[in-house]
Amino acid sequence: MAKGLSLFDRRRQRNRTALRARAGNRPRLSVHRSSQHIYAQIIDDEAGRTLASASTLEKDARGSTGATSAAAAEVGKRIAERAKAAGVGKVVFDRGGFLFHGRVKALAEAAREGGLEF
């Protein structure tokens, strides 16, 4: 984070970044990363609906992978497949304030390889 900014200013910058991701007319690929899992959703903000979702909590992903880049890549592949099935090809990537590094980057690259454009 930027050095010397107050907590208020950092929060305001993060909110402005989040609003910019939601301003487009495309569905949004939203990513949330916790210490043990990673979650991804394709959200249509105009309709207020989730079109597709994937996470490491799903039954077919449990046990085989944990909080690793490989698990995030699997989630990226799955979200791309489900987005294609829902008729979504182009999305806006919303990293949710997380740095584009490690698991978030692995998920994004796998989703791109799976056919999503952003």
Side-chain angles (χ1 to χ4, degrees):
M1 291 199 205
K3 190 173 182 179
L5 291 179
S6 69
L7 180 62
F8 174 76
D9 290 332
R10 285 186 301 217
R11 189 175 296 137
R12 185 173 59 187
Q13 281 181 340
R14 187 172 178 182
N15 286 338
R16 287 179 66 198
T17 302
L19 288 174
R20 215 174 18 244
R22 293 182 184 104
N25 55 358
R26 292 185 194 175
R28 174 170 53 107
L29 172 58
S30 176
V31 175
H32 179 74
R33 175 183 61 85
S34 70
S35 62
Q36 294 182 353
H37 297 285
I38 191 159
Y39 311 86
Q41 292 182 336
I42 305 276
I43 302 167
D44 181 6
D45 287 314
E46 292 176 0
R49 292 185 38 217
T50 298
L51 304 174
S53 66
S55 74
T56 54
L57 280 175
E58 296 171 353
K59 288 185 181 181
D60 57 343
R62 268 193 198 171
S64 62
T65 56
T68 62
S69 293
E74 281 295 317
V75 171
K77 289 177 190 174
R78 256 188 268 123
I79 196 72
E81 291 171 4
R82 293 175 185 173
K84 289 293 184 181
V88 176
K90 294 183 179 182
V91 296
V92 174
F93 188 69
D94 178 13
R95 57 187 174 83
F98 299 105
L99 294 178
F100 191 78
H101 178 72
R103 290 185 283 158
V104 175
K105 184 177 180 181
L107 187 145
E109 289 174 350
R112 281 190 186 115
E113 289 173 7
L116 280 181
E117 292 181 36
F118 51 92

